[in-house]
Amino acid sequence: MPSSTHPLVSKFDGLMDLTASEREALSGFPLRTVSLEAHQDVTREGDRPSRCAMLIEGFACTSKITTKGRRQIMAFHIAGNMPDLHSVHLGVLDSDIRTISACTMGFMDHSPLKALCSQHPRIAAVLWRTTLVDASVYREWMTNIGQREAFGRLAHLFCEVMTRMEDSGQADGDRCRFPVSQVELGEATGMSAVHVNRTLQELRKENLVSFAAGVLTIHNRDRLAEAGEFDLTYLHLQEAQLAA
Amino acid sequence: MPSSTHPLVSKFDGLMDLTASEREALSGFPLRTVSLEAHQDVTREGDRPSRCAMLIEGFACTSKITTKGRRQIMAFHIAGNMPDLHSVHLGVLDSDIRTISACTMGFMDHSPLKALCSQHPRIAAVLWRTTLVDASVYREWMTNIGQREAFGRLAHLFCEVMTRMEDSGQADGDRCRFPVSQVELGEATGMSAVHVNRTLQELRKENLVSFAAGVLTIHNRDRLAEAGEFDLTYLHLQEAQLAA
DNA sequence: CGGCGATTTGATAATGGTCAAGTGCCGTGG
DNA sequence: CCACGGCACTTGACCATTATCAAATCGCCG
């Protein structure tokens, strides 16, 4: 058997029909695979990295710390994501990327990546598109944080995580791994850990979700989606294949 | 005199050194110029547009409406911005774009735009970068909404607007045009209009900013930046020239 | 002058923050 | 094997920020 496909190839296979030359360019792309422990920095605000990462296994997040020491998590990353792809074209990083669980990451240098994009415009377009979906998710999170109250915020977040995990084949029925702490849930939704805890109990009491031991279980998908006003359009999943 | 430069050319001239062939491709790009009144929809959530817009004159915003009828503004657009550039690679729009003031917009069809990107990878890279900066601003806004309280939120927003207006040569000393209503400020910062009003009064009383009749005036930049914990790194301005 | 939208003000209530203490779980080390 | 320490989670009490509702004022345009 082939010594496991190149992570870039697996990623693109789901997103477009590759030509032979594109496939060759991707499968030969130099990737340094690294194992990281939980709660480790991958990159930090202010860094000027010369490479970007692909999350191959585990959970990570993007966050930022305020002068006053408050932390906002802007995104959770699951296997298959490229958390700092934007660093290819932005000189300075404006946020931190940290692992949440133990992770395997593949690092790719910017310069071959730029060359790849110049030579293969369709690949460039798909990578660009990836960052556009990230931006779409940011827009939805802003709406979540700005306009919904605690109950709906968590409901929405859980719907999103489950949907993404399912889409990438990492869910198991109504359950999926989601090893974040309540503090981190609070940092992602703009609420205090105490209030997260209480809201989690409400969600549980209503028999919508349970969240414990790093596992998310959704008991009533429809009602959860309703509570979180969740509409998956913003994830731009189904149309992925149509791209480029 | 030349019948005014092509808006795309002016935009790129600030961002990179154009080769002759790039300049030619840009200056010949078909653009339909349209005048719009204040508070008009440009595109709506759910649309599948075949063109995207460049704001040539005026103010616009991106927003989304919740099932419960609450509106979140995710971005303000000023002259020179391309509010829905992301529609080139995302099939369905996930948010609305509306004018705030009367606007002039230039519409560009997707297919020539895609062709332009395929043939001119450096142009593609700069356009990609533009959307990455948008995403960076989203990240900052999430932090603003999620982690700062009213006073800081407005302070931060005002710092951003002034900085961007200055950067694009649209400010006049400490003042710039910013014709949004207090309701809209609230929709952008996740606070009620009433609370916006009161916070504005505080900002005024502290002699940091005044905001009236569609004009923003900053009286004490340092203290305002401090109140809003404003650090312009996330706007990725200075390094724009280094791109591509 | 009339009316409409935007802003302002006041009063009241609710959502959610903070502080502090307690519980439970797990891994380390004696 | 059990005690200890640490960390995540839980609970209670209290309080602050901010929302909501309602009414008044202001400015502007027809």
Side-chain angles (χ1 to χ4, degrees), chain B residues 54-69:
Chain B
M54 174 157 180
L55 182 50
I56 296 171
E57 162 90 44
F59 287 78
C61 68
T62 298
S63 65
K64 214 177 234 194
I65 295 197
T66 285
T67 319
K68 292 187 181 127

Side-chain angles (χ1 to χ4, degrees), chain B residues 137-168:
Chain B
V137 175
Y138 294 150
R139 287 191 288 271
E140 185 66 27
W141 278 44
M142 275 184 56
T143 308
N144 201 32
I145 296 173
Q147 305 300 333
R148 284 190 264 270
E149 44 193 53
F151 196 81
R153 272 188 223 181
L154 283 181
H156 189 281
L157 175 60
F158 288 142
C159 286
E160 174 183 311
V161 169
M162 181 60 79
T163 304
R164 289 169 55 205
M165 288 295 276
E166 277 176 338
D167 181 67
S168 67

Side-chain angles (χ1 to χ4, degrees), chain B:
Chain B
M1 59 191 176
S3 65
S4 82
T5 358
H6 190 292
L8 266 181
V9 177
S10 348
K11 181 166 180 74
F12 276 81
D13 260 336
L15 300 173
M16 63 189 273
D17 285 329
L18 291 167
T19 67
S21 94
E22 285 165 349
R23 181 176 302 272
E24 193 192 324
L26 288 172
S27 63
F29 196 92
L31 194 77
R32 294 188 308 287
T33 305
V34 174
S35 292
L36 297 169
E37 286 164 31
H39 305 294
Q40 254 191 293
D41 287 335
V42 180
T43 57
R44 247 173 282 185
E45 188 174 345
D47 282 358
R48 302 183 143 274
S50 59
R51 45 103 183 123
C52 57
M54 174 157 180
L55 182 50
I56 296 171
E57 162 90 44
F59 287 78
C61 68
T62 298
S63 65
K64 214 177 234 194
I65 295 197
T66 285
T67 319
K68 292 187 181 127
R70 306 190 45 122
R71 185 154 167 261
Q72 175 70 46
I73 292 180
M74 281 88 95
F76 289 115
H77 307 292
I78 67 176
N81 291 352
M82 299 178 65
D84 62 349
L85 179 51
H86 53 273
S87 68
V88 191
H89 291 300
L90 296 180
V92 187
L93 283 184
D94 50 77
S95 38
D96 304 324
I97 297 181
R98 301 188 62 196
T99 61
I100 288 176
S101 65
C103 288
T104 309
M105 298 205 131
F107 289 111
M108 307 177 291
D109 283 329
H110 286 167
S111 61
L113 200 52
K114 285 182 183 173
L116 180 72
C117 288
S118 292
Q119 284 150 39
H120 300 278
R122 296 174 70 230
I123 290 181
V126 170
L127 287 175
W128 183 358
R129 184 178 192 283
T130 301
T131 64
L132 295 175
V133 173
D134 292 342
S136 175
V137 175
Y138 294 150
R139 287 191 288 271
E140 185 66 27
W141 278 44
M142 275 184 56
T143 308
N144 201 32
I145 296 173
Q147 305 300 333
R148 284 190 264 270
E149 44 193 53
F151 196 81
R153 272 188 223 181
L154 283 181
H156 189 281
L157 175 60
F158 288 142
C159 286
E160 174 183 311
V161 169
M162 181 60 79
T163 304
R164 289 169 55 205
M165 288 295 276
E166 277 176 338
D167 181 67
S168 67
Q170 300 180 68
D172 167 25
D174 292 338
R175 291 185 310 161
C176 71
R177 211 159 95 76
F178 188 41
V180 305
S181 70
Q182 293 185 5
V183 171
E184 287 161 331
L185 284 181
E187 290 169 335
T189 51
M191 45 200 277
S192 73
V194 171
H195 202 55
V196 167
N197 183 285
R198 291 180 169 134
T199 309
L200 239 28
Q201 293 178 46
E202 284 186 65
L203 283 161
R204 186 101 201 279
K205 205 173 301 166
E206 298 258 353
N207 207 32
L208 300 184
V209 219
S210 48
F211 172 78
V215 175
L216 172 65
T217 312
I218 297 189
H219 300 113
N220 190 323
R221 214 169 268 250
D222 291 349
R223 287 212 298 129
L224 188 69
E226 195 190 326
E229 305 178 286
F230 181 74
D231 170 351
L232 49 59
T233 309
Y234 76 97
L235 292 172
H236 298 280
L237 300 177
Q238 63 294 7
E239 358 134 17
Q241 287 77 359
L242 313 174

Side-chain angles (χ1 to χ4, degrees), chain A residues 181-182 194 197-198 201:
Chain A
S181 69
Q182 293 185 4
V194 171
N197 183 285
R198 290 180 170 133
Q201 292 177 44

